[in-house]
Amino acid sequence: QVQLVESGGGLVQAGGSLRLSCAISGRAFSNYTTGWFRRAPGKEREFVAAVDWRGSNIKYGDFVKGRFTISRDNVKNMMYLQMNSLKPEDTAVYYCAQDWAAYHTATDLTSDFQYDYWGRGTQVTVSS
């Protein structure tokens, strides 16, 4: 079975940083399109960041550009989301997700319809 597990969330003050991690079992991150999404209280799920299966095409949501960085470590088989200059509006549950097919160029990296495997999420809370 393919399972994704997020970790690294917590409480941080505005302006601080957190590094989220996503571990996978069942298969690797390499060669699969993978992304991060978030859901804030009272809001719909929002695209945060994604990287295509080659690792060459990276997209970010408008509200996190310049502050967040997505990366994959093929040796450790981990995916990360480095979050800097955090704002209270970044408070949300963050999810990692993966496309079902390997070597598959995504139609839209920013759409949650692109992803088939999802973690259970990790809570990020940013205080003022």
Side-chain angles (χ1 to χ4, degrees), residues 35-85:
W36 289 93
F37 291 78
R38 68 186 185 187
R39 181 179 282 113
K43 296 184 178 180
E44 296 181 350
R45 187 162 53 194
E46 180 182 37
F47 171 73
V48 176
V51 56
D52 76 341
W53 71 269
R54 296 181 179 87
S56 59
N57 187 19
I58 299 175
K59 299 290 185 181
Y60 292 99
D62 291 340
F63 296 103
V64 303
K65 289 180 179 178
R67 299 189 296 121
F68 292 8
T69 303
I70 187 173
S71 63
R72 293 195 300 223
D73 187 327
N74 293 333
V75 175
K76 297 180 180 179
N77 198 30
M78 297 284 289
M79 186 175 70
Y80 305 100
L81 183 69
Q82 179 66 46
M83 305 185 295
N84 299 325
S85 302

Side-chain angles (χ1 to χ4, degrees), residues 2 4 24 27-30 32-35 96-100 114-118:
V2 177
L4 302 169
I24 190 169
R27 66 184 187 184
F29 281 115
S30 181
Y32 292 87
T33 293
T34 315
C96 62
Q98 189 179 73
D99 194 6
W100 75 275
Q114 187 68 55
Y115 305 90
D116 303 280
Y117 298 101
W118 295 82

Side-chain angles (χ1 to χ4, degrees), residues 82-115:
Q82 179 66 46
M83 305 185 295
N84 299 325
S85 302
L86 284 163
K87 304 174 181 180
E89 48 264 46
D90 293 319
T91 296
V93 177
Y94 284 72
Y95 303 88
C96 62
Q98 189 179 73
D99 194 6
W100 75 275
Y103 313 106
H104 179 222
T105 300
T107 302
D108 185 0
L109 293 175
T110 70
S111 174
D112 56 5
F113 294 152
Q114 187 68 55
Y115 305 90

